mmCIF file of all heavy atoms in Angstrom:
data_model
loop_
_atom_site.group_PDB
_atom_site.id
_atom_site.type_symbol
_atom_site.label_atom_id
_atom_site.label_comp_id
_atom_site.label_asym_id
_atom_site.label_seq_id
_atom_site.Cartn_x
_atom_site.Cartn_y
_atom_site.Cartn_z
ATOM 1 N N MET A 1 0.847 -1.198 0.000
ATOM 2 C CA MET A 1 0.000 0.000 0.000
ATOM 3 C C MET A 1 0.882 1.246 0.000
ATOM 4 O O MET A 1 1.855 1.332 0.757
ATOM 5 C CB MET A 1 -0.886 -0.009 1.260
ATOM 6 C CG MET A 1 -1.679 1.270 1.503
ATOM 7 S SD MET A 1 -2.886 1.677 0.232
ATOM 8 C CE MET A 1 -4.180 0.483 0.569
ATOM 9 N N THR A 2 0.575 2.214 -0.863
ATOM 10 C CA THR A 2 1.282 3.495 -0.854
ATOM 11 C C THR A 2 0.814 4.270 0.374
ATOM 12 O O THR A 2 -0.385 4.484 0.548
ATOM 13 C CB THR A 2 0.968 4.302 -2.137
ATOM 14 O OG1 THR A 2 1.198 3.456 -3.275
ATOM 15 C CG2 THR A 2 1.843 5.536 -2.235
ATOM 16 N N MET A 3 1.761 4.656 1.233
ATOM 17 C CA MET A 3 1.397 5.268 2.507
ATOM 18 C C MET A 3 2.278 6.468 2.833
ATOM 19 O O MET A 3 3.475 6.449 2.578
ATOM 20 C CB MET A 3 1.544 4.232 3.647
ATOM 21 C CG MET A 3 0.540 3.115 3.563
ATOM 22 S SD MET A 3 0.966 1.657 4.568
ATOM 23 C CE MET A 3 1.067 2.315 6.197
ATOM 24 N N VAL A 4 1.642 7.502 3.387
ATOM 25 C CA VAL A 4 2.375 8.657 3.916
ATOM 26 C C VAL A 4 1.923 8.824 5.360
ATOM 27 O O VAL A 4 0.725 8.958 5.632
ATOM 28 C CB VAL A 4 2.089 9.952 3.128
ATOM 29 C CG1 VAL A 4 3.054 11.053 3.564
ATOM 30 C CG2 VAL A 4 2.186 9.728 1.632
ATOM 31 N N VAL A 5 2.889 8.808 6.264
ATOM 32 C CA VAL A 5 2.566 8.792 7.694
ATOM 33 C C VAL A 5 3.303 9.902 8.427
ATOM 34 O O VAL A 5 4.517 10.047 8.280
ATOM 35 C CB VAL A 5 2.951 7.425 8.316
ATOM 36 C CG1 VAL A 5 2.624 7.392 9.805
ATOM 37 C CG2 VAL A 5 2.249 6.277 7.602
ATOM 38 N N VAL A 6 2.548 10.678 9.197
ATOM 39 C CA VAL A 6 3.153 11.618 10.151
ATOM 40 C C VAL A 6 3.115 10.922 11.505
ATOM 41 O O VAL A 6 2.044 10.520 11.970
ATOM 42 C CB VAL A 6 2.354 12.939 10.217
ATOM 43 C CG1 VAL A 6 2.860 13.817 11.359
ATOM 44 C CG2 VAL A 6 2.453 13.698 8.900
ATOM 45 N N THR A 7 4.282 10.735 12.124
ATOM 46 C CA THR A 7 4.307 10.017 13.394
ATOM 47 C C THR A 7 5.487 10.450 14.254
ATOM 48 O O THR A 7 6.495 10.943 13.756
ATOM 49 C CB THR A 7 4.372 8.489 13.166
ATOM 50 O OG1 THR A 7 4.284 7.814 14.420
ATOM 51 C CG2 THR A 7 5.663 8.071 12.478
ATOM 52 N N HIS A 8 5.313 10.247 15.571
ATOM 53 C CA HIS A 8 6.423 10.455 16.515
ATOM 54 C C HIS A 8 7.030 9.113 16.923
ATOM 55 O O HIS A 8 7.938 9.084 17.750
ATOM 56 C CB HIS A 8 5.923 11.190 17.765
ATOM 57 C CG HIS A 8 5.465 12.586 17.465
ATOM 58 N ND1 HIS A 8 6.332 13.582 17.066
ATOM 59 C CD2 HIS A 8 4.235 13.150 17.493
ATOM 60 C CE1 HIS A 8 5.655 14.700 16.861
ATOM 61 N NE2 HIS A 8 4.381 14.463 17.110
ATOM 62 N N GLU A 9 6.501 8.030 16.358
ATOM 63 C CA GLU A 9 6.999 6.693 16.710
ATOM 64 C C GLU A 9 8.236 6.375 15.870
ATOM 65 O O GLU A 9 8.147 5.823 14.779
ATOM 66 C CB GLU A 9 5.900 5.646 16.472
ATOM 67 C CG GLU A 9 4.642 5.847 17.287
ATOM 68 C CD GLU A 9 4.869 5.604 18.768
ATOM 69 O OE1 GLU A 9 5.780 4.827 19.125
ATOM 70 O OE2 GLU A 9 4.141 6.211 19.575
ATOM 71 N N MET A 10 9.397 6.759 16.390
ATOM 72 C CA MET A 10 10.617 6.653 15.586
ATOM 73 C C MET A 10 11.063 5.207 15.356
ATOM 74 O O MET A 10 11.629 4.889 14.316
ATOM 75 C CB MET A 10 11.748 7.457 16.236
ATOM 76 C CG MET A 10 11.500 8.952 16.214
ATOM 77 S SD MET A 10 11.322 9.607 14.541
ATOM 78 C CE MET A 10 10.131 10.901 14.824
ATOM 79 N N GLY A 11 10.801 4.335 16.317
ATOM 80 C CA GLY A 11 11.150 2.922 16.131
ATOM 81 C C GLY A 11 10.369 2.330 14.962
ATOM 82 O O GLY A 11 10.902 1.580 14.144
ATOM 83 N N PHE A 12 9.110 2.693 14.887
ATOM 84 C CA PHE A 12 8.236 2.255 13.792
ATOM 85 C C PHE A 12 8.734 2.817 12.465
ATOM 86 O O PHE A 12 8.832 2.099 11.468
ATOM 87 C CB PHE A 12 6.808 2.725 14.091
ATOM 88 C CG PHE A 12 5.850 2.593 12.948
ATOM 89 C CD1 PHE A 12 5.475 1.342 12.470
ATOM 90 C CD2 PHE A 12 5.288 3.722 12.368
ATOM 91 C CE1 PHE A 12 4.575 1.221 11.412
ATOM 92 C CE2 PHE A 12 4.387 3.612 11.315
ATOM 93 C CZ PHE A 12 4.026 2.358 10.840
ATOM 94 N N ALA A 13 9.064 4.110 12.455
ATOM 95 C CA ALA A 13 9.574 4.748 11.230
ATOM 96 C C ALA A 13 10.841 4.050 10.746
ATOM 97 O O ALA A 13 11.009 3.766 9.560
ATOM 98 C CB ALA A 13 9.854 6.234 11.482
ATOM 99 N N ARG A 14 11.693 3.750 11.700
ATOM 100 C CA ARG A 14 12.983 3.131 11.367
ATOM 101 C C ARG A 14 12.801 1.725 10.815
ATOM 102 O O ARG A 14 13.484 1.305 9.882
ATOM 103 C CB ARG A 14 13.819 3.082 12.655
ATOM 104 C CG ARG A 14 15.249 2.690 12.460
ATOM 105 C CD ARG A 14 15.961 2.733 13.811
ATOM 106 N NE ARG A 14 17.294 3.239 13.688
ATOM 107 C CZ ARG A 14 17.962 3.853 14.661
ATOM 108 N NH1 ARG A 14 17.388 4.041 15.832
ATOM 109 N NH2 ARG A 14 19.181 4.277 14.479
ATOM 110 N N GLY A 15 11.835 0.989 11.392
ATOM 111 C CA GLY A 15 11.675 -0.420 11.024
ATOM 112 C C GLY A 15 10.778 -0.681 9.828
ATOM 113 O O GLY A 15 10.943 -1.675 9.127
ATOM 114 N N ALA A 16 9.816 0.214 9.577
ATOM 115 C CA ALA A 16 8.788 -0.101 8.578
ATOM 116 C C ALA A 16 8.840 0.760 7.315
ATOM 117 O O ALA A 16 8.381 0.335 6.265
ATOM 118 C CB ALA A 16 7.399 0.006 9.212
ATOM 119 N N ALA A 17 9.367 1.978 7.415
ATOM 120 C CA ALA A 17 9.290 2.907 6.277
ATOM 121 C C ALA A 17 10.322 2.589 5.195
ATOM 122 O O ALA A 17 11.355 1.977 5.461
ATOM 123 C CB ALA A 17 9.496 4.346 6.759
ATOM 124 N N ASN A 18 10.018 3.028 3.966
ATOM 125 C CA ASN A 18 11.005 2.985 2.887
ATOM 126 C C ASN A 18 11.856 4.244 2.887
ATOM 127 O O ASN A 18 13.007 4.233 2.472
ATOM 128 C CB ASN A 18 10.329 2.901 1.514
ATOM 129 C CG ASN A 18 9.466 1.670 1.360
ATOM 130 O OD1 ASN A 18 8.259 1.788 1.183
ATOM 131 N ND2 ASN A 18 10.054 0.497 1.453
ATOM 132 N N ARG A 19 11.231 5.351 3.331
ATOM 133 C CA ARG A 19 11.930 6.637 3.282
ATOM 134 C C ARG A 19 11.442 7.531 4.412
ATOM 135 O O ARG A 19 10.263 7.519 4.758
ATOM 136 C CB ARG A 19 11.668 7.314 1.933
ATOM 137 C CG ARG A 19 12.364 8.651 1.766
ATOM 138 C CD ARG A 19 12.504 9.065 0.302
ATOM 139 N NE ARG A 19 11.332 8.844 -0.497
ATOM 140 C CZ ARG A 19 10.736 9.792 -1.234
ATOM 141 N NH1 ARG A 19 11.210 11.027 -1.264
ATOM 142 N NH2 ARG A 19 9.682 9.514 -1.966
ATOM 143 N N VAL A 20 12.372 8.289 4.969
ATOM 144 C CA VAL A 20 12.037 9.288 5.987
ATOM 145 C C VAL A 20 12.268 10.668 5.371
ATOM 146 O O VAL A 20 13.328 10.934 4.811
ATOM 147 C CB VAL A 20 12.905 9.126 7.255
ATOM 148 C CG1 VAL A 20 12.582 10.221 8.267
ATOM 149 C CG2 VAL A 20 12.688 7.751 7.883
ATOM 150 N N VAL A 21 11.245 11.520 5.461
ATOM 151 C CA VAL A 21 11.365 12.905 4.991
ATOM 152 C C VAL A 21 11.312 13.802 6.220
ATOM 153 O O VAL A 21 10.318 13.814 6.949
ATOM 154 C CB VAL A 21 10.229 13.256 3.997
ATOM 155 C CG1 VAL A 21 10.268 14.741 3.650
ATOM 156 C CG2 VAL A 21 10.351 12.416 2.729
ATOM 157 N N PHE A 22 12.405 14.503 6.469
ATOM 158 C CA PHE A 22 12.509 15.370 7.653
ATOM 159 C C PHE A 22 12.187 16.806 7.263
ATOM 160 O O PHE A 22 12.806 17.372 6.368
ATOM 161 C CB PHE A 22 13.917 15.279 8.248
ATOM 162 C CG PHE A 22 14.173 16.262 9.359
ATOM 163 C CD1 PHE A 22 13.437 16.221 10.534
ATOM 164 C CD2 PHE A 22 15.152 17.243 9.226
ATOM 165 C CE1 PHE A 22 13.674 17.137 11.561
ATOM 166 C CE2 PHE A 22 15.396 18.163 10.242
ATOM 167 C CZ PHE A 22 14.655 18.102 11.416
ATOM 168 N N MET A 23 11.176 17.372 7.925
ATOM 169 C CA MET A 23 10.759 18.746 7.630
ATOM 170 C C MET A 23 11.069 19.662 8.805
ATOM 171 O O MET A 23 11.043 19.242 9.964
ATOM 172 C CB MET A 23 9.240 18.796 7.364
ATOM 173 C CG MET A 23 8.829 18.199 6.032
ATOM 174 S SD MET A 23 7.018 18.228 5.821
ATOM 175 C CE MET A 23 6.700 20.010 5.769
ATOM 176 N N ASP A 24 11.338 20.899 8.486
ATOM 177 C CA ASP A 24 11.477 21.930 9.526
ATOM 178 C C ASP A 24 11.162 23.275 8.886
ATOM 179 O O ASP A 24 11.580 23.539 7.752
ATOM 180 C CB ASP A 24 12.899 21.923 10.107
ATOM 181 C CG ASP A 24 12.988 22.798 11.350
ATOM 182 O OD1 ASP A 24 11.968 22.963 12.047
ATOM 183 O OD2 ASP A 24 14.080 23.328 11.633
ATOM 184 N N GLY A 25 10.398 24.087 9.604
ATOM 185 C CA GLY A 25 10.075 25.419 9.103
ATOM 186 C C GLY A 25 9.368 25.430 7.769
ATOM 187 O O GLY A 25 9.570 26.318 6.942
ATOM 188 N N GLY A 26 8.525 24.392 7.521
ATOM 189 C CA GLY A 26 7.741 24.368 6.294
ATOM 190 C C GLY A 26 8.499 23.937 5.053
ATOM 191 O O GLY A 26 8.012 24.085 3.930
ATOM 192 N N ALA A 27 9.704 23.392 5.237
ATOM 193 C CA ALA A 27 10.505 22.951 4.088
ATOM 194 C C ALA A 27 11.083 21.564 4.371
ATOM 195 O O ALA A 27 11.173 21.137 5.524
ATOM 196 C CB ALA A 27 11.635 23.939 3.821
ATOM 197 N N ILE A 28 11.478 20.865 3.305
ATOM 198 C CA ILE A 28 12.158 19.581 3.468
ATOM 199 C C ILE A 28 13.640 19.839 3.677
ATOM 200 O O ILE A 28 14.288 20.472 2.848
ATOM 201 C CB ILE A 28 11.925 18.668 2.255
ATOM 202 C CG1 ILE A 28 10.451 18.257 2.193
ATOM 203 C CG2 ILE A 28 12.817 17.435 2.327
ATOM 204 C CD1 ILE A 28 10.084 17.437 0.980
ATOM 205 N N VAL A 29 14.137 19.352 4.798
ATOM 206 C CA VAL A 29 15.553 19.545 5.134
ATOM 207 C C VAL A 29 16.375 18.343 4.673
ATOM 208 O O VAL A 29 17.504 18.478 4.221
ATOM 209 C CB VAL A 29 15.717 19.749 6.661
ATOM 210 C CG1 VAL A 29 17.181 19.914 7.043
ATOM 211 C CG2 VAL A 29 14.906 20.951 7.132
ATOM 212 N N GLU A 30 15.777 17.162 4.789
ATOM 213 C CA GLU A 30 16.525 15.945 4.479
ATOM 214 C C GLU A 30 15.548 14.839 4.101
ATOM 215 O O GLU A 30 14.438 14.777 4.628
ATOM 216 C CB GLU A 30 17.313 15.529 5.733
ATOM 217 C CG GLU A 30 18.537 14.728 5.430
ATOM 218 C CD GLU A 30 19.508 14.667 6.615
ATOM 219 O OE1 GLU A 30 19.745 15.687 7.280
ATOM 220 O OE2 GLU A 30 20.023 13.575 6.861
ATOM 221 N N SER A 31 15.961 13.972 3.183
ATOM 222 C CA SER A 31 15.136 12.839 2.774
ATOM 223 C C SER A 31 16.064 11.662 2.512
ATOM 224 O O SER A 31 16.997 11.774 1.721
ATOM 225 C CB SER A 31 14.361 13.210 1.501
ATOM 226 O OG SER A 31 13.677 12.103 0.994
ATOM 227 N N ALA A 32 15.828 10.547 3.207
ATOM 228 C CA ALA A 32 16.750 9.412 3.087
ATOM 229 C C ALA A 32 16.067 8.128 3.537
ATOM 230 O O ALA A 32 15.007 8.157 4.161
ATOM 231 C CB ALA A 32 17.990 9.657 3.948
ATOM 232 N N GLU A 33 16.710 7.006 3.221
ATOM 233 C CA GLU A 33 16.234 5.727 3.763
ATOM 234 C C GLU A 33 16.405 5.762 5.277
ATOM 235 O O GLU A 33 17.309 6.422 5.794
ATOM 236 C CB GLU A 33 17.037 4.570 3.164
ATOM 237 C CG GLU A 33 16.711 4.313 1.713
ATOM 238 C CD GLU A 33 17.444 3.102 1.161
ATOM 239 O OE1 GLU A 33 18.149 2.417 1.937
ATOM 240 O OE2 GLU A 33 17.304 2.857 -0.049
ATOM 241 N N PRO A 34 15.534 5.033 6.022
ATOM 242 C CA PRO A 34 15.577 5.100 7.488
ATOM 243 C C PRO A 34 16.951 4.820 8.095
ATOM 244 O O PRO A 34 17.397 5.560 8.975
ATOM 245 C CB PRO A 34 14.561 4.040 7.923
ATOM 246 C CG PRO A 34 13.615 3.941 6.784
ATOM 247 C CD PRO A 34 14.423 4.186 5.555
ATOM 248 N N ALA A 35 17.636 3.782 7.613
ATOM 249 C CA ALA A 35 18.942 3.443 8.197
ATOM 250 C C ALA A 35 19.917 4.602 8.043
ATOM 251 O O ALA A 35 20.686 4.929 8.954
ATOM 252 C CB ALA A 35 19.503 2.182 7.535
ATOM 253 N N GLU A 36 19.842 5.254 6.886
ATOM 254 C CA GLU A 36 20.726 6.387 6.608
ATOM 255 C C GLU A 36 20.346 7.601 7.464
ATOM 256 O O GLU A 36 21.192 8.247 8.072
ATOM 257 C CB GLU A 36 20.609 6.731 5.108
ATOM 258 C CG GLU A 36 21.452 7.888 4.638
ATOM 259 C CD GLU A 36 22.926 7.550 4.488
ATOM 260 O OE1 GLU A 36 23.293 6.355 4.576
ATOM 261 O OE2 GLU A 36 23.717 8.493 4.298
ATOM 262 N N PHE A 37 19.047 7.890 7.510
ATOM 263 C CA PHE A 37 18.588 9.076 8.247
ATOM 264 C C PHE A 37 18.880 8.954 9.745
ATOM 265 O O PHE A 37 19.411 9.873 10.366
ATOM 266 C CB PHE A 37 17.088 9.310 8.024
ATOM 267 C CG PHE A 37 16.554 10.476 8.821
ATOM 268 C CD1 PHE A 37 16.842 11.779 8.450
ATOM 269 C CD2 PHE A 37 15.789 10.259 9.965
ATOM 270 C CE1 PHE A 37 16.374 12.859 9.199
ATOM 271 C CE2 PHE A 37 15.315 11.328 10.717
ATOM 272 C CZ PHE A 37 15.613 12.630 10.337
ATOM 273 N N PHE A 38 18.535 7.813 10.313
ATOM 274 C CA PHE A 38 18.737 7.649 11.762
ATOM 275 C C PHE A 38 20.197 7.390 12.117
ATOM 276 O O PHE A 38 20.662 7.776 13.181
ATOM 277 C CB PHE A 38 17.848 6.517 12.300
ATOM 278 C CG PHE A 38 16.393 6.869 12.339
ATOM 279 C CD1 PHE A 38 15.511 6.352 11.417
ATOM 280 C CD2 PHE A 38 15.900 7.757 13.299
ATOM 281 C CE1 PHE A 38 14.160 6.693 11.442
ATOM 282 C CE2 PHE A 38 14.562 8.104 13.329
ATOM 283 C CZ PHE A 38 13.686 7.574 12.404
ATOM 284 N N GLY A 39 20.915 6.714 11.206
ATOM 285 C CA GLY A 39 22.292 6.352 11.509
ATOM 286 C C GLY A 39 23.313 7.397 11.114
ATOM 287 O O GLY A 39 24.385 7.503 11.721
ATOM 288 N N ASN A 40 22.980 8.177 10.086
ATOM 289 C CA ASN A 40 23.973 9.114 9.553
ATOM 290 C C ASN A 40 23.301 10.363 8.972
ATOM 291 O O ASN A 40 23.411 10.637 7.772
ATOM 292 C CB ASN A 40 24.796 8.383 8.465
ATOM 293 C CG ASN A 40 25.963 9.213 7.996
ATOM 294 O OD1 ASN A 40 26.439 10.094 8.702
ATOM 295 N ND2 ASN A 40 26.418 8.948 6.772
ATOM 296 N N PRO A 41 22.575 11.128 9.820
ATOM 297 C CA PRO A 41 21.897 12.319 9.303
ATOM 298 C C PRO A 41 22.905 13.314 8.733
ATOM 299 O O PRO A 41 23.994 13.484 9.272
ATOM 300 C CB PRO A 41 21.174 12.890 10.529
ATOM 301 C CG PRO A 41 21.880 12.319 11.706
ATOM 302 C CD PRO A 41 22.426 10.999 11.284
ATOM 303 N N LYS A 42 22.523 13.964 7.639
ATOM 304 C CA LYS A 42 23.465 14.833 6.927
ATOM 305 C C LYS A 42 23.501 16.268 7.468
ATOM 306 O O LYS A 42 24.520 16.934 7.395
ATOM 307 C CB LYS A 42 23.083 14.902 5.434
ATOM 308 C CG LYS A 42 23.161 13.558 4.717
ATOM 309 C CD LYS A 42 24.603 13.198 4.400
ATOM 310 C CE LYS A 42 24.702 11.905 3.633
ATOM 311 N NZ LYS A 42 24.490 10.695 4.413
ATOM 312 N N THR A 43 22.349 16.749 7.937
ATOM 313 C CA THR A 43 22.272 18.159 8.321
ATOM 314 C C THR A 43 22.351 18.330 9.835
ATOM 315 O O THR A 43 21.944 17.450 10.598
ATOM 316 C CB THR A 43 20.939 18.782 7.841
ATOM 317 O OG1 THR A 43 19.858 18.060 8.444
ATOM 318 C CG2 THR A 43 20.813 18.726 6.329
ATOM 319 N N ASP A 44 22.850 19.457 10.260
ATOM 320 C CA ASP A 44 22.905 19.751 11.700
ATOM 321 C C ASP A 44 21.506 19.777 12.298
ATOM 322 O O ASP A 44 21.302 19.367 13.435
ATOM 323 C CB ASP A 44 23.595 21.109 11.944
ATOM 324 C CG ASP A 44 25.093 21.044 11.655
ATOM 325 O OD1 ASP A 44 25.627 19.907 11.619
ATOM 326 O OD2 ASP A 44 25.718 22.101 11.448
ATOM 327 N N ARG A 45 20.557 20.285 11.512
ATOM 328 C CA ARG A 45 19.191 20.387 12.018
ATOM 329 C C ARG A 45 18.613 19.000 12.315
ATOM 330 O O ARG A 45 17.965 18.783 13.340
ATOM 331 C CB ARG A 45 18.321 21.123 10.974
ATOM 332 C CG ARG A 45 16.915 21.446 11.444
ATOM 333 C CD ARG A 45 16.904 22.450 12.599
ATOM 334 N NE ARG A 45 15.629 22.451 13.305
ATOM 335 C CZ ARG A 45 15.326 21.688 14.331
ATOM 336 N NH1 ARG A 45 16.195 20.816 14.811
ATOM 337 N NH2 ARG A 45 14.155 21.770 14.910
ATOM 338 N N ALA A 46 18.857 18.049 11.427
ATOM 339 C CA ALA A 46 18.377 16.678 11.640
ATOM 340 C C ALA A 46 19.109 16.035 12.816
ATOM 341 O O ALA A 46 18.500 15.352 13.648
ATOM 342 C CB ALA A 46 18.565 15.842 10.379
#
């Protein structure tokens, strides 16, 4: 199923999602696979 989820459940995001899109201030700051985003975030904000 194609799904877009807003959640605070980070364990779920890490384990189930194909991609994490990190937003701040109304813009996309970072977009990556969960392992990459949680393990090696690129931006200071993330």
Side-chain angles (χ1 to χ4, degrees):
M1 172 63 74
T2 309
M3 292 163 59
V4 190
V5 180
V6 171
T7 185
H8 294 293
E9 299 292 333
M10 293 300 146
F12 169 67
R14 190 178 218 153
N18 300 117
R19 181 160 43 126
V20 177
V21 173
F22 173 62
M23 287 178 65
D24 190 28
I28 293 176
V29 179
E30 206 164 317
S31 173
E33 288 184 4
E36 180 76 9
F37 177 74
F38 288 105
N40 188 23
K42 297 283 183 285
T43 60
D44 289 342
R45 187 65 197 90

